């Protein structure tokens, strides 16, 4: 049920925690430092690679950024899910128009919910 954390980075240390061997096993090569999300986690049960971006660090998943990462993860053999994490609903509302389609949003104000931007992947998973 849970996910294995494969990467954690922050502003001071982009490679705070890294399991490069596990990322390589999934068909992921090292993503450039500027493109890394804040957290990468993998659910073996569902074969999902979660790319989680904290909005307050480098912003939301934009269309351009998602496109760049998708091109780099073309050989990844897991389903890739892009999640932007916001601290509050107010901060989410201010950036909602800039969030890429086919991504997810998590808001700390409502931790038990996700907002799906046409998230067909989650609909497929629940079949």
């Amino acid at each position: 049920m849970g996910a294995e954390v494969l990467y954690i980075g922050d502003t001071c240390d982009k490679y705070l925690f890294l399991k490069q061997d596990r990322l390589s096993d999934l068909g992921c090569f090292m993503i450039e430092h500027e493109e890394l999300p804040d957290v990468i986690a993998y659910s073996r049960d569902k074969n999902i690679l979660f790319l989680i971006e904290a909005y307050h660090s480098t912003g939301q998943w934009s269309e351009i950024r998602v496109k760049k990462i998708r091109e780099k993860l073309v050989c990844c053999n897991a389903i890739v899910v892009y999640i932007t994490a916001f601290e509050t609903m107010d901060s989410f509302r201010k950036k909602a128009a800039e969030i890429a389609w086919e991504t997810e949003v998590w808001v700390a104000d409502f931790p038990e919910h996700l907002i799906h931007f046409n998230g067909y992947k989650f609909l497929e998973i629940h079949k």
Side-chain angles (χ1 to χ4, degrees):
M1 291 265 196
E4 174 188 9
V5 175
L6 304 180
Y7 167 81
I8 299 173
D10 67 13
T11 307
C12 296
D13 184 357
K14 272 308 220 187
Y15 300 101
L16 193 61
F17 178 82
L18 175 65
K19 288 189 174 181
Q20 182 60 51
D21 57 330
R22 290 289 294 126
L23 287 169
S24 296
D25 290 346
L26 294 168
C28 305
F29 65 91
M30 195 57 184
I31 299 167
E32 284 87 18
H33 157 347
E34 300 82 33
E35 296 167 347
L36 283 167
D38 295 308
V39 176
I40 299 175
Y42 176 66
S43 169
R44 183 185 310 264
D45 292 344
K46 297 199 181 242
N47 192 35
I48 299 174
L49 187 68
F50 296 98
L51 304 183
I52 304 166
E53 185 61 66
Y55 169 73
H56 72 273
S57 66
T58 55
Q60 72 285 345
W61 283 109
S62 67
E63 294 288 343
I64 293 169
R65 191 157 174 233
V66 169
K67 183 177 185 271
K68 284 182 183 179
I69 296 292
R70 280 188 178 141
E71 289 170 359
K72 293 183 182 287
L73 296 177
V74 72
C75 293
C76 182
N77 46 21
I79 298 166
V80 180
V81 175
Y82 302 83
I83 301 172
T84 302
F86 288 90
E87 291 179 288
T88 65
M89 248 345 222
D90 285 339
S91 60
F92 161 66
R93 283 186 194 106
K94 290 175 186 172
K95 290 296 181 177
E98 298 172 34
I99 295 170
W101 289 109
E102 305 303 328
T103 68
E104 314 300 326
V105 170
W106 178 85
V107 181
D109 287 345
F110 303 97
E112 64 281 353
H113 298 285
L114 282 177
I115 300 168
H116 307 285
F117 276 69
N118 201 21
Y120 70 92
K121 292 174 186 166
F122 279 104
L123 296 176
E124 292 295 317
I125 291 168
H126 292 295
K127 279 187 176 180

